[in-house]
Amino acid sequence: MNSLGKAALASFAGLVCLFLVLPSLIVLPMSFNADNLLRFPPHGFSLTWYQAYFGAENWQSATWHSLAIAVSVTILATTLGTIAALALIRGRIAWRMLYIYLMLTPMIVPPIVSAVSMYGVFAQFRLVGTLPGMILAHTVLALPFVIINVAAVLQRMDWRLEQAARSLGAPALQAFFLVTLPLIRPGLIVAAIFAFITSFDEVVVALYISGSSAITLPVEMWSGLRFEINPVVAAVSSLLLGISAASLLAIGLLRRVATAQHRTPA
Amino acid sequence: MAVGGAAIGPGDRGRARAHPDPDRRRLTRTGLLGLPALAFVAIFLLYPLALLIETSFHAKSGEWSFEQYARIATTPVYGLILWKTAWVAGLVTLIDLLVGYPFAVALTRARGAWRLVLLAAVLMPFWTNLLVRTYGWIVVLYPSGLINTLLLHLGLIADPIELVQNTAGVLIGMAQIMLPYTVLPIAAQIEKMDRRLLQAARSLGASAPRTFWHVYLPLTLPGVFAGALVTLVLSLGFFVIPALLGGRRDVLIAQLIDFNLTKVLNWEFAAALGTILLVVTMGLFVAAQRWFRLDTLWTEAR
Amino acid sequence: MTAATSAATGGEIRLSRLSRSFGAVHAVRNVDLVAARGEFLTLLGASGSGKTTTLMMIAGFVTPSAGDILVDGASILGEPPDRRNLGVVFQSYALFPHMTVAENISFPLRMRRLGGADARERTEAALAMVRLEGYAERRVTELSGGQQQRVALARALVFRPPVLLMDEPLGALDRKLREQMQLEIKRIQKSLGITVIYVTHDQEEALILSNRIAIMHEGEVHQVGTPDAVYEHPSTPYVASFLGESNFLDGILESMDGSTSWVRLASGERIGARATELPIGSKVQAMVRPESITFDASGPRTNSLQAEIEVCEYLGQSIRYFTRGAGTTLTVRAPRADAAHRAAVGERVTLSWPQSETLLFG
């Protein structure tokens, strides 16, 4: 490729980067807006919207709900997903491909369809508007992500290490906990983070299942954008951006730990 | 490479009966670990979906009927909405292919810090909340937002352009959200390419542009199809962006389903719409699976 | 083997002081080579010797740091790879997986705006030449390694380039297949009269295929010559040890009379060698090939050394001994016929070989 082509490609890539990143970053200056008018650039500097966020009961309870649900989902989905991944990679499953397709359905089905159909059943069992209901719904959505991640890590792992532990006298369960688990831990943590974020950021299913008593942060934000633009959304968005950045960093570091582990001789 | 489980296939059943394999029991037991997760998905998603499909075949009064589907087929408004959904999804996919392909090429060519920057940018939508990004787009596209303020300031326009609360807003927002889904499969396919093939083409007399057309592009096609398919399928069922960035005339199928369930409380009709969306989505995935089986014949000459 | 054939259609290719360095590393240093029309020239060397880099410079994928490359007198240095009109067969064949055999082979013709019946004819002829008639519509991914290699060859020849470049094309094939392909390549090259520059690390292959061999080591050409010449009269110890097996004995050049040089070995014995131009008194290495050594008693104009057998290997075609003598390990190759009277490990023997088979290196 000649230098003109290279320059054109590079500039194009730069523009696309801007396109990808701008809408997320722009919320930061907006959150310090002094008035409640939606305009850019924002006028004045004020922390009123942050104060409004921390002071409002609805925002705080929504945040609390989201955190509680996300943590529970993380624990539940990671556990279920990890043993399912073990079954897939290390065990024998009848109609293995069918199993895989079924487990991937939550990822493939359009969220609105999942939401509407879940609502029908959850309403029957009086799970709408309850935290347990939300936890169950989000766990289903998070499962495929956990399974894919953990399965990938299990495949990459050197199976001979667990076999060596067995040959040295460790029974299966112990070998798993003492050898395999520590080795796949970085991958497990990545899967857990995926599960957390899937639940914490989820909006469509939450709109249906959270009812009026289990309202999550995304649902509250949705209300703040649906009819009028509530400027508190800007402050919340900035906070969420911070959390995203932090988790990205965490995953980046964990990935590095994982590859370093694999490089050391067994 | 995998020992045990994954390597055993249906043909081994006969052999196992003749010589009972102690490993078999262990493997089957390990396989049982997959049941809890399966039960979970079955109870909380598959059963609800089945119920949804079943509901769609009922009339409002409760008896068995095709009336919901008939209504969709015969009422022009609904046909229009379905058509608009397909059209918007198709356009978003096209935009993302045109933007995403060069970006994927740039991504695979980048080295060091630049590569991290491009990768972070393309993965960013995965890490930022959808509503945060949607709000950001509102700020950018609003009449008093970033773009309009900039253009007015530069004197390029006299009045603000309507970029949000209309189809343009929907297209722009969705194109950005879906871009990673297009870029990543294409980039993966490019990485797999054997560079020697490009050299061979050059040695046989193909100039750089012709090498791109005859060798590079065809070899990336499986990735292009994969990316296009994922983007298309995701765009068809999208709810948040059309609802928040679209105008009153930009009702797509997801919003229609929502409207029918929450505002009009017409379960059966919403179920019918949902079933259509589900079937189309699944159908596209199944078709793609077969296509990709064929495509994998291409990958690597040896 | 004579260089040119009667139907020589190949071009002459000349490498003039060709060099390439990567930072402080000199991958190729001042290579001067000429391949005459219709000649089969092999670049032979170990990995890292610079042979592949040299070939890549000729093909146009690596830019030389210095020097020139001329085909039929004209420099091709300024041309991009697609304009050099040279046939290249890559080590991994590099067949286009998304095209059929015929589409692969006709690709260079399409690039030269040659289509229709003419292209079809030439493609068929190319397939016939590599004995793959009827394979035109097959997908390349369905072919075996040997078949793919032949398609790669046909593709590189169909547009009748003056020179064919081959980068270790037989490396991935098993022994039997490799030997078959060597015969094929030789046959095709002779019938077309095309000039070939062939890169390999396999010395046997080089000896079989080439009109001349250029032995490369650390970026430099140590020697160029016919297979006979480089084997019988290696010009450097590296060439002597790379081609065939060799034994080296250290010593001082004591005197010369007529056609014989006399060397006093470090271990004390005196041996005779071929005449040399090295000055008396210089330190020398005497080289003798294992197949020249026998256990017979010494005679006129033969050297002899006492040695003890350490290892005896039965190799089917021959027997190889590792012996300890003159302060070093000496390898001896005995013909298979002697298998019945093999010397035993531990036996003390007299090694003898003709003085005329001893070469000196300074």
Side-chain angles (χ1 to χ4, degrees):
Chain A
M1 193 183 284
N2 62 355
S3 25
L4 181 66
K6 278 191 227 185
L9 192 65
S11 343
F12 180 77
L15 279 173
V16 175
C17 277
L18 200 65
F19 176 65
L20 287 168
V21 164
L22 188 65
S24 306
L25 294 181
I26 205 169
V27 302
L28 284 166
M30 288 304 290
S31 65
F32 297 111
N33 199 354
D35 57 42
N36 64 348
L37 295 177
L38 178 65
R39 60 172 159 199
F40 192 84
H43 289 201
F45 182 93
S46 143
L47 293 173
T48 40
W49 308 118
Y50 286 96
Q51 288 171 328
Y53 165 69
F54 284 106
E57 208 255 300
N58 58 335
W59 284 106
Q60 290 306 299
S61 76
T63 309
W64 160 244
H65 287 159
S66 279
L67 283 171
I69 294 170
V71 168
S72 315
V73 167
T74 303
I75 298 172
L76 194 55
T78 309
T79 313
L80 284 177
T82 302
I83 58 177
L86 266 172
L88 263 177
I89 305 290
R90 292 282 113 221
R92 198 176 145 268
I93 295 184
W95 301 307
R96 159 185 228 92
M97 282 317 287
L98 178 65
Y99 181 85
I100 294 177
Y101 288 143
L102 287 177
M103 293 313 293
L104 290 183
T105 353
M107 258 182 15
I108 302 178
V109 173
I112 186 73
V113 177
S114 309
V116 167
S117 50
M118 276 184 192
Y119 179 74
V121 172
F122 278 47
Q124 252 194 310
F125 290 108
R126 301 191 192 286
L127 285 170
V128 175
T130 66
L131 284 184
M134 282 296 296
I135 293 172
L136 292 171
H138 276 183
T139 303
V140 174
L141 295 178
L143 266 175
F145 293 98
V146 174
I147 294 180
I148 291 177
N149 265 290
V150 178
V153 171
L154 280 174
Q155 280 211 315
R156 277 201 303 264
M157 179 191 139
D158 187 354
W159 209 242
R160 290 176 298 206
L161 292 170
E162 190 175 298
Q163 289 177 333
R166 299 297 302 279
S167 76
L168 293 166
L173 209 61
Q174 265 207 303
F176 174 74
F177 277 104
L178 292 176
V179 177
T180 309
L181 207 54
L183 279 176
I184 62 173
R185 191 168 22 227
L188 275 187
I189 298 184
V190 171
I193 294 181
F194 261 105
F196 183 88
I197 293 200
T198 303
S199 166
F200 195 74
D201 282 350
E202 208 278 326
V203 58
V204 184
V205 169
L207 276 173
Y208 278 82
I209 310 291
S210 61
S212 47
S213 17
I215 295 182
T216 62
L217 198 55
V219 172
E220 196 66 56
M221 288 175 75
W222 164 271
S223 310
L225 290 174
R226 190 76 178 92
F227 300 108
E228 298 179 334
I229 312 296
N230 183 346
V232 180
V233 174
V236 183
S237 301
S238 308
L239 292 170
L240 288 176
L241 260 189
I243 298 181
S244 299
S247 28
L248 229 168
L249 217 69
I251 295 203
L253 289 169
L254 279 166
R255 283 248 156 90
R256 230 172 260 192
V257 168
T259 40
Q261 256 187 359
H262 280 269
R263 242 181 259 131
T264 54
Chain B
M1 171 69 215
V3 168
I8 292 187
D12 296 322
R13 235 172 268 141
R15 256 178 277 146
R17 240 179 272 130
H19 309 276
D21 179 359
D23 270 341
R24 235 176 105 88
R25 272 188 49 228
R26 176 176 59 82
L27 291 167
T28 317
R29 267 207 316 258
T30 318
L32 290 177
L33 285 177
L35 280 183
L38 183 65
F40 216 85
V41 174
I43 299 173
F44 295 112
L45 184 63
L46 299 176
Y47 167 60
L49 284 176
L51 203 60
L52 184 84
I53 299 174
E54 205 259 332
T55 309
S56 72
F57 289 106
H58 287 235
K60 201 77 169 106
S61 50
E63 70 238 1
W64 253 89
S65 126
F66 283 109
E67 127 184 348
Q68 310 300 344
Y69 293 98
R71 189 172 156 207
I72 297 175
T74 55
T75 321
V77 166
Y78 301 127
L80 210 66
I81 291 177
L82 290 178
W83 165 242
K84 181 138 200 192
T85 308
W87 180 81
V88 166
L91 197 55
V92 168
T93 306
L94 188 64
I95 294 173
D96 276 348
L97 281 177
L98 291 173
V99 171
Y101 194 96
F103 190 80
V105 175
L107 180 61
T108 50
R109 288 172 61 99
R111 293 278 163 262
W114 285 120
R115 193 189 183 93
L116 284 176
V117 167
L118 291 181
L119 205 57
V122 88
L123 290 178
M124 198 171 202
F126 286 135
W127 299 112
T128 46
N129 191 315
L130 178 57
L131 290 165
V132 170
R133 280 175 281 150
T134 311
Y135 173 64
W137 274 118
I138 294 177
V139 173
V140 171
L141 299 172
Y142 215 65
S144 53
L146 176 75
I147 290 186
N148 276 306
T149 310
L150 195 66
L151 293 177
L152 280 168
H153 191 76
L154 291 175
L156 291 169
I157 54 171
D159 297 303
I161 325 175
E162 291 283 332
L163 287 170
V164 80
Q165 301 296 321
N166 59 9
T167 318
V170 175
L171 286 173
I172 296 173
M174 277 177 66
Q176 187 234 21
I177 307 292
M178 300 303 176
L179 194 60
Y181 294 101
T182 318
V183 166
L184 291 173
I186 297 179
Q189 192 70 24
I190 295 178
E191 299 267 290
K192 283 205 291 197
M193 200 187 315
D194 179 3
R195 299 287 149 171
R196 286 283 189 219
L197 293 173
L198 304 174
Q199 284 185 335
R202 297 300 303 277
S203 78
L204 293 165
S207 60
R210 299 192 80 184
T211 302
F212 176 81
W213 182 254
H214 287 276
V215 182
Y216 190 96
L217 189 57
L219 288 175
T220 57
L221 280 182
V224 171
F225 286 135
L229 185 93
V230 175
T231 306
L232 186 67
V233 167
L234 289 175
S235 304
L236 281 173
F238 223 65
F239 177 62
V240 174
I241 299 261
L244 292 178
L245 292 180
R248 222 165 299 204
R249 282 170 299 143
D250 299 300
V251 176
L252 303 184
I253 191 169
Q255 296 144 277
L256 190 61
I257 296 174
D258 175 64
F259 176 80
N260 272 282
L261 188 58
T262 56
K263 300 294 187 300
V264 182
L265 298 174
N266 189 342
W267 248 115
E268 292 77 12
F269 191 58
L273 290 168
T275 306
I276 293 180
L277 183 58
L278 184 66
V279 167
V280 170
T281 302
M282 292 307 202
L284 281 173
F285 265 114
V286 169
Q289 266 295 80
R290 297 167 129 247
W291 200 326
F292 292 141
R293 285 294 134 79
L294 297 169
D295 279 0
T296 49
L297 278 183
W298 279 6
T299 54
E300 278 107 55
R302 308 198 312 141
Chain C
M1 272 197 249
T2 51
T5 68
S6 52
T9 56
E12 180 206 71
I13 180 162
R14 178 182 296 265
L15 308 179
S16 170
R17 298 184 64 76
L18 198 59
S19 306
R20 169 73 205 200
S21 19
F22 298 97
V25 178
H26 295 281
V28 178
R29 275 186 243 239
N30 289 323
V31 168
D32 276 303
L33 282 175
V34 180
R37 302 173 154 277
E39 179 174 12
F40 197 117
L41 176 70
T42 297
L43 303 180
L44 175 68
S47 20
S49 56
K51 56 193 198 297
T52 302
T53 310
T54 306
L55 198 77
M56 288 293 127
M57 282 196 277
I58 304 174
F61 298 118
V62 174
T63 316
S65 311
D68 201 357
I69 304 169
L70 302 111
V71 176
D72 286 331
S75 170
I76 57 172
L77 221 49
E79 304 275 5
D82 46 300
R83 315 257 317 178
R84 293 198 180 194
N85 202 36
L86 302 169
V88 183
V89 179
F90 294 85
Q91 193 170 14
S92 58
Y93 315 147
L95 296 178
F96 305 128
H98 56 297
M99 300 185 195
T100 62
V101 167
E103 284 165 351
N104 263 278
I105 296 179
S106 61
F107 183 84
L109 301 175
R110 276 182 285 154
M111 292 302 115
R112 290 161 173 77
R113 312 261 193 271
L114 252 142
D118 197 10
R120 259 199 307 276
E121 229 177 80
R122 303 235 276 189
T123 307
E124 287 297 331
L127 277 171
M129 179 176 62
V130 296
R131 300 210 231 265
L132 279 179
E133 298 98 323
Y135 278 75
E137 294 313 309
R138 305 274 221 106
R139 295 222 86 88
V140 297
T141 42
E142 294 167 19
L143 303 179
S144 70
Q147 290 169 329
Q148 288 185 354
Q149 214 262 23
R150 284 187 271 166
V151 173
L153 189 58
R155 183 178 69 176
L157 290 172
V158 73
F159 57 100
R160 303 191 195 135
V163 181
L164 181 65
L165 308 172
M166 306 185 82
D167 184 11
E168 305 200 56
L170 305 181
L173 305 175
D174 63 63
R175 192 185 171 79
K176 281 269 157 270
L177 200 50
R178 210 179 324 151
E179 289 172 3
Q180 266 182 310
M181 285 306 306
Q182 283 164 357
L183 287 169
E184 282 296 297
I185 291 175
K186 199 66 190 150
R187 175 185 65 84
I188 293 172
Q189 188 258 346
K190 275 218 171 115
S191 75
L192 291 178
I194 190 173
T195 311
V196 174
I197 302 209
Y198 192 95
V199 163
T200 183
H201 62 270
D202 184 340
Q203 37 135 332
E204 206 177 283
E205 189 165 271
L207 292 169
I208 294 172
L209 293 172
S210 327
N211 293 128
R212 281 191 311 153
I213 306 177
I215 293 101
M216 290 187 72
H217 181 54
E218 292 182 344
E220 290 177 313
V221 175
H222 275 224
Q223 187 177 2
V224 192
T226 64
D228 281 62
V230 293
Y231 192 86
E232 303 293 344
H233 307 277
S235 58
T236 70
Y238 181 79
V239 176
S241 57
F242 195 87
L243 280 168
E245 295 172 298
S246 49
N247 292 300
F248 287 95
L249 296 159
D250 292 322
I252 309 265
L253 180 61
E254 259 190 352
S255 59
M256 279 207 290
D257 63 63
S259 57
T260 317
S261 311
W262 295 101
V263 177
R264 174 71 58 184
L265 296 179
S267 49
E269 302 93 329
R270 199 170 85 121
I271 58 169
R274 275 193 221 163
T276 176
E277 281 163 11
L278 296 164
I280 310 279
S282 44
K283 286 170 90 160
V284 292
Q285 280 189 304
M287 195 280 288
V288 61
R289 298 227 186 255
E291 63 261 28
S292 306
I293 306 177
T294 58
F295 296 141
D296 296 345
S298 40
R301 288 196 281 281
T302 62
N303 293 313
S304 58
L305 281 176
Q306 298 303 309
E308 182 183 313
I309 312 270
E310 285 190 324
V311 180
C312 169
E313 289 176 345
Y314 177 69
L315 299 174
Q317 282 181 344
S318 59
I319 308 166
R320 181 162 63 187
Y321 298 95
F322 290 95
T323 69
R324 188 91 195 144
T328 181
T329 304
L330 296 166
T331 316
V332 180
R333 280 264 191 172
R336 183 170 146 255
D338 290 353
H341 330 286
R342 264 183 276 193
V345 174
E347 210 177 298
R348 296 208 68 89
V349 290
T350 304
L351 307 178
S352 46
W353 70 93
Q355 287 167 353
S356 54
E357 303 259 317
T358 318
L359 281 151
L360 292 180
F361 296 102

